[in-house]
Amino acid sequence: MGLQNSKELFKHAIKNNYAIGAFNFVNLETLSAILDAATELNSPVIVQCSTGAIKYAGIEAISAMVKAKAKNLPVILNLDHGKTFEDCKMAIDNGFTNVMIDASSLPFEENINLTKQVVEYAHSKNVTVEAELGVLAGVEDEVSASNDDAKYTNPLQAKEFVERTNVDSLAIAIGTSHGTHKFSGEAKLRFDILSQIEELLPDFPLVLHGASSIPQNMVQLAEQYGAKLKGANGIPENMLNEATTKHNVVKVNVDSDLRIAFTAGVREILTNKPETVDLRDYLKQGKKYVTEVVKNKITNVFASENKA
Ligand SMILES: [Zn+2]
């Protein structure tokens, strides 16, 4: 119980065919909303911040908030998309229990070297590490691949990468993408590539980024109160459920879904109660919708209910 690294939790998730949601937060409200949902459903949970969120809220405040609130549940505090050794070291030194080093835009050998360096430091502090291999579309696609296949994780490289770095989990590219507009055509995940990776790396914890579903009820609610999210779409929940319950995907990142839900709640109250200047009025409604979205993920997508 309480804050811990990913080792035992991922082992348990693989053995019992579920995944642990990794939810991004930027403030007390989003953190509490996530933890409320996980507590109510007795689910382990990963709370994570990017370096941008750390800049916004301050790493000491973030770490203290999580420590204070994560007592009765297995919780991993993860750094999302650390880009340098220094990013990861800062998180480790401030009590994060897992860090992601994202050197996926670097050449293979450089990705290995940087990941290895982070793994050595992290393991000496009992912190686990996630790395990434393959290029996700969306915010990462400035690194444009010349042909489509080069965007997906190469299974043979994945095996070599894990063996040489001693990393604890690996984010793979099988067709998910960052942001609120994920597909121009039909959503498609490469389950064939996922299966090949699993054959080469049996029982190894895999991670999906860019895996928001963009719940249309929240999009509609936000738009009803003035948001402009035309064409927002995500990964269908049944595909994510298959990846988590029938494969070794044990961590699924969710950020955009929570942003939309929080925005919908805040907009709703500001529109319906224009006289209010009590921040709690509208922040509470944002929190409420974030909790709803997280509960739906835990129950219907990741199957992590009652696994704490
Ligand atoms: Zn990501």
Side-chain angles (χ1 to χ4, degrees):
M1 287 294 164
L3 267 179
Q4 53 192 275
N5 69 28
S6 72
K7 233 179 179 84
E8 292 308 315
L9 292 178
F10 283 174
K11 222 185 265 173
H12 191 263
I14 285 189
K15 217 176 138 202
N16 295 283
N17 302 314
Y18 67 93
I20 305 175
F23 301 99
N24 285 72
F25 70 99
V26 296
N27 58 10
L28 178 65
E29 285 75 20
T30 37
L31 173 67
S32 306
I34 296 161
L35 292 176
D36 285 352
T39 303
E40 198 179 321
L41 297 175
N42 194 31
S43 167
V45 72
I46 299 165
V47 290
Q48 60 186 16
C49 330
S50 62
T51 48
I54 288 172
K55 225 180 258 169
Y56 172 76
I59 194 157
E60 284 165 359
I62 282 172
S63 178
M65 259 180 348
V66 175
K67 253 179 228 159
K69 290 193 149 280
K71 286 189 179 126
N72 303 315
L73 209 62
V75 177
I76 296 168
L77 172 57
N78 178 47
L79 172 70
D80 191 24
H81 289 282
K83 287 284 183 194
T84 62
F85 175 79
E86 287 70 30
D87 287 345
C88 295
K89 183 176 185 299
M90 170 191 64
I92 293 164
D93 293 348
N94 279 282
F96 282 53
T97 57
N98 190 80
V99 292
M100 178 204 191
I101 174 69
D102 175 8
S104 62
S105 62
L106 300 179
F108 186 62
E109 287 297 325
E110 285 175 48
N111 188 352
I112 286 185
N113 288 338
L114 181 50
T115 300
K116 237 167 119 173
Q117 190 191 2
V118 172
V119 167
E120 272 161 28
Y121 184 73
H123 285 182
S124 78
K125 308 277 181 188
N126 197 29
V127 169
T128 42
V129 180
E130 170 188 334
E132 179 171 323
L133 191 61
V135 178
L136 260 69
V139 292
E140 285 178 64
D141 68 3
E142 313 90 333
V143 194
S144 65
S146 54
N147 73 62
D148 217 36
D149 260 5
K151 285 189 176 171
Y152 298 112
T153 302
N154 175 321
L156 285 169
Q157 275 193 342
K159 181 179 164 67
E160 184 184 346
F161 186 90
V162 167
E163 286 170 355
R164 287 176 60 192
T165 58
N166 200 23
V167 76
D168 302 283
S169 61
L170 185 67
I172 54 168
I174 57 166
T176 58
S177 78
H178 288 107
T180 50
H181 293 68
K182 297 190 190 296
F183 292 97
S184 45
E186 201 187 329
K188 201 175 154 219
L189 291 190
R190 292 289 301 270
F191 284 104
D192 57 326
I193 296 177
L194 177 55
S195 296
Q196 286 166 24
I197 294 170
E198 282 164 342
E199 252 167 60
L200 294 166
L201 288 167
D203 290 338
F204 187 79
L206 301 174
V207 179
L208 287 184
H209 282 238
S212 275
S213 298
I214 316 293
Q216 291 302 310
N217 60 332
M218 286 298 158
V219 171
Q220 274 163 18
L221 193 64
E223 286 191 321
Q224 185 186 334
Y225 295 107
K228 290 195 165 66
L229 300 166
K230 197 171 185 305
N233 61 14
I235 316 289
E237 291 185 341
N238 62 336
M239 286 187 189
L240 292 172
N241 183 255
E242 183 176 341
T244 57
T245 58
K246 299 202 174 88
H247 294 272
N248 292 340
V249 171
V250 294
K251 171 176 178 273
V252 180
N253 286 10
V254 178
D255 190 0
S256 299
D257 287 355
L258 308 189
R259 295 179 183 207
I260 293 170
F262 198 88
T263 301
V266 170
R267 280 186 172 278
E268 181 185 352
I269 301 302
L270 288 179
T271 305
N272 288 342
K273 235 178 138 181
E275 74 285 359
T276 189
V277 289
D278 186 340
L279 279 68
R280 289 166 297 189
D281 279 346
Y282 46 90
L283 294 177
K284 242 195 251 167
Q285 193 74 350
K287 262 181 79 175
K288 184 179 152 208
Y289 289 147
V290 170
T291 299
E292 268 177 33
V293 168
V294 174
K295 276 170 69 178
N296 175 57
K297 302 274 176 198
I298 287 173
T299 311
N300 299 319
V301 188
F302 304 150
S304 66
E305 190 176 357
N306 289 323
K307 299 293 198 308

